[in-house]
Amino acid sequence: MGKTNEYQPDRRKFLAGMGMVGAATIAAPALKAVAAESSTVWAEEHEIVIIGSGFAGLAAAIEARNLGAKDVVVYDKMPYFGGNSTYNGGLFAVPASPLQKKEGVQDSPETMTADQLKAGRGVADKDLLLHVAKHAEEALRMTLDAGSEYFPYLQQLGGHSVPRTYQTTSASGAGIVQPLVQQCKKLGVQMVTRAKFDHLIHDEEGRVIGVQILKGHYFGRDTEGSPVNIKAKRGVLIATGGFARNVGLRQAQDPTLTAEVPSTNPPSATGEALLELFKAGAIPVHMAYIQTGPWASPDEDGFGYVSNYSIYNFAHSISVFTRTGKRFMNEIADRKTRSDAQLACRDDAGNPLPPITITSYKHAKEHPTMKKVLKYGVGWKFDTVEELAAHFKVPIEPLKAQIEEYNGYVKSGVDEQFGKPMEKAKGKYIEAPFVVIRNWPKVHYCQGGAKVDVLARVIGSDNWKPIPGLYAAGEVTGGMHGVSRLGRCSIPDCMVMGMTAARSMMKA
């Protein structure tokens, strides 16, 4: 097994054989990703090789086994399974779901796709969105079969035209990841941690025939691990997530996303597998479209407790800029609109001044996360508006006037300030005692990545055709959601495209 730079002559032969002299400039970074099959020493061989153990990788593994695959392996570079999916909020949008039918909600895959296209601002991929929406109920069923539990009601969240979102009872993606991991083990899927993907291995015709894995990898400890070559009979699925924690890479796409903007993702969301896909010739799509979550808190790390609390309560709350005591946005506008408005909240020196979100205690307590928000000191309860204003140094009279004005909108059902839909705020006046949290956006999701088709095949930049043997699913792919991903749609995206990749590989 040679070092990566030993593969370079083979890549040049491959490019010449493909008549790609003109493309060599584009493909040059791909040199280390290619090896001649005859010179490769294989340590292992598996029917299907999956890189990444989040929603997409786990769904692919289960689907492949259900379709008859006898040898499926999942690798993850971390010492645990689930990746960023574990940090997910556990909110799962499903059109035409059993709960919608029970509650009499009229919905369809086409309606959900229309909502997503609107959020995507004209550049989302309709074919991919519709494919996911049509199969989302199958993905939900897979989680239920594995043992996931959801609250017995639906939520209608920002940008969705109808209630269609399930919430795990754990209020996190772990409520899906853990049952899926157990289901994988039950089905005999080989699950390997501390195994970092390094690069793809091609045969002389350009087909992806395996990967090099660094086994014994210790993330963040300068221990890369020992390289081993893994052969894949049917194909390789890359399902490694986005690059939200790679500040340099994300700032290269969007200079506003400096280290000043934290992330909900775990430290492992660094995107090196995505860069390897590009080296192998994958088409980059929408890399500058990076979503921030307006429901996050500067007072806790990662996704935390405030995120789900805010998502539930925004509809009947007011967000206030502490310098003015006034609202500054529609609290349930799409994510980008709200994040941009929050990032504009600054002090005189231009430093971040996180706005506050005020909710009546009697309504805030309806969501189970409120107790944890208060318990862990990332939210505060106040008996009077005077106490609230003093704590956050908000001008009292403008704040009182704002609350009175907003309560008028609750009564009339029309938000004359920002056009917020008031159906979910009906009868829910802003009254003492209050629960208050601070919000500040965090980098949450990277819409950009490698281009795939509706069969989850990675499309190559040299000929705009699928790269043989190479599949991708989840946040490592790009183009599906456009400028702004509609909230609650990452779980169906990841799971459906993971299942799709498995189906494609089993037919290959």
Side-chain angles (χ1 to χ4, degrees), residues 224-273:
E224 282 294 285
S226 302
V228 293
N229 293 334
I230 311 294
K231 191 170 187 178
K233 292 181 184 175
R234 290 185 181 272
V236 172
L237 169 63
I238 303 297
T240 49
F243 55 93
R245 282 283 188 147
N246 189 330
V247 176
L249 179 56
R250 75 189 200 200
Q251 197 171 349
Q253 320 305 319
D254 183 345
T256 68
L257 298 179
T258 66
E260 183 185 79
V261 184
S263 174
T264 62
N265 289 199
S268 56
T270 47
E272 62 268 17

Side-chain angles (χ1 to χ4, degrees), residues 231-393:
K231 191 170 187 178
K233 292 181 184 175
R234 290 185 181 272
V236 172
L237 169 63
I238 303 297
T240 49
F243 55 93
R245 282 283 188 147
N246 189 330
V247 176
L249 179 56
R250 75 189 200 200
Q251 197 171 349
Q253 320 305 319
D254 183 345
T256 68
L257 298 179
T258 66
E260 183 185 79
V261 184
S263 174
T264 62
N265 289 199
S268 56
T270 47
E272 62 268 17
L274 173 61
L275 298 179
E276 288 298 322
L277 287 176
F278 293 155
K279 290 176 183 176
I283 300 170
V285 186
H286 293 173
M287 287 291 289
Y289 296 155
I290 301 172
Q291 188 173 68
T292 50
W295 20 253
S297 167
D299 299 307
E300 58 184 349
D301 291 331
F303 195 78
Y305 295 112
V306 168
S307 296
N308 270 333
Y309 169 87
S310 299
I311 290 166
Y312 177 82
N313 283 293
F314 266 141
H316 48 265
S317 303
I318 57 172
S319 290
V320 169
F321 184 27
T322 55
R323 293 186 68 184
T324 65
K326 304 288 288 183
R327 291 172 72 210
F328 61 98
M329 67 175 190
N330 166 4
E331 291 82 358
I332 57 173
D334 68 65
R335 289 177 173 180
K336 180 168 176 54
T337 298
R338 287 180 288 169
S339 292
D340 289 347
Q342 291 169 339
L343 287 171
C345 293
R346 305 271 170 173
D347 64 18
D348 287 337
N351 298 312
L353 196 59
I356 58 174
T357 296
I358 305 171
T359 311
S360 295
Y361 173 78
K362 63 182 177 183
H363 300 131
K365 71 179 182 180
E366 294 171 358
H367 198 267
T369 55
M370 189 207 71
K371 290 182 180 178
K372 292 180 178 177
V373 164
L374 296 178
K375 177 180 178 181
Y376 293 106
V378 292
W380 301 264
K381 182 182 176 186
F382 301 97
D383 290 330
T384 68
V385 68
E386 287 79 9
E387 292 177 8
L388 184 165
H391 183 89
F392 293 104
K393 297 181 173 58

Side-chain angles (χ1 to χ4, degrees), residues 484-496:
S484 180
R485 177 179 63 79
L486 190 62
R488 328 288 68 94
C489 294
S490 65
I491 298 177
D493 165 1
C494 293
M495 290 201 59
V496 169

Side-chain angles (χ1 to χ4, degrees), residues 406-421:
Y406 179 81
N407 283 338
Y409 304 151
V410 174
K411 184 177 182 179
S412 67
V414 179
D415 175 12
E416 297 180 7
Q417 272 183 300
F418 294 100
K420 172 181 174 179

Side-chain angles (χ1 to χ4, degrees), residues 161-234:
S161 58
V162 297
R164 62 166 68 98
T165 299
Y166 285 68
Q167 167 79 76
T168 58
T169 54
S170 66
S172 79
I176 295 174
V177 166
Q178 291 174 357
L180 293 183
V181 168
Q182 294 307 312
Q183 186 76 344
C184 282
K185 292 179 178 177
K186 180 180 176 182
L187 293 172
V189 175
Q190 297 183 61
M191 307 286 288
V192 185
T193 56
R194 297 197 190 282
K196 181 184 178 184
F197 166 71
D198 190 67
H199 63 262
L200 299 166
I201 300 174
H202 299 246
D203 65 15
E204 294 182 347
E205 284 71 46
R207 179 182 181 83
V208 173
I209 56 172
V211 297
Q212 185 170 96
I213 295 292
L214 303 175
K215 284 195 171 182
H217 174 75
Y218 279 75
F219 181 82
R221 296 192 199 174
D222 295 326
T223 303
E224 282 294 285
S226 302
V228 293
N229 293 334
I230 311 294
K231 191 170 187 178
K233 292 181 184 175
R234 290 185 181 272

Side-chain angles (χ1 to χ4, degrees), residues 27-157:
L31 295 179
K32 89 167 192 174
V34 181
E37 182 177 16
S38 59
S39 66
T40 302
V41 176
W42 300 105
E44 298 176 23
E45 180 174 306
H46 300 282
E47 190 173 357
I48 288 177
V49 173
I50 298 171
I51 310 298
S53 65
F55 296 133
L58 296 172
I62 293 170
E63 184 70 1
R65 287 290 285 159
N66 288 340
L67 292 174
K70 306 210 181 309
D71 180 11
V72 180
V73 62
V74 176
Y75 295 106
D76 198 294
K77 69 180 179 183
M78 300 303 284
Y80 53 84
F81 297 114
N84 187 38
S85 297
T86 301
Y87 290 64
N88 176 282
L91 292 155
F92 191 164
V94 183
S97 70
L99 266 182
Q100 285 183 324
K101 292 172 184 172
K102 181 180 178 181
E103 296 181 7
V105 177
Q106 297 298 314
D107 195 14
S108 69
E110 289 75 14
T111 302
M112 176 165 151
T113 299
D115 291 344
Q116 292 177 281
L117 288 171
K118 183 178 179 182
R121 290 167 167 75
V123 295
D125 189 316
K126 183 178 180 180
D127 290 341
L128 284 173
L129 290 173
L130 189 57
H131 172 75
V132 168
K134 286 182 174 178
H135 295 276
E137 196 274 336
E138 297 169 41
L140 174 68
R141 200 182 319 136
M142 176 183 281
T143 69
L144 292 168
D145 291 344
S148 294
E149 296 180 351
Y150 299 89
F151 288 119
Y153 55 82
L154 294 170
Q155 297 185 49
Q156 182 176 357
L157 303 171

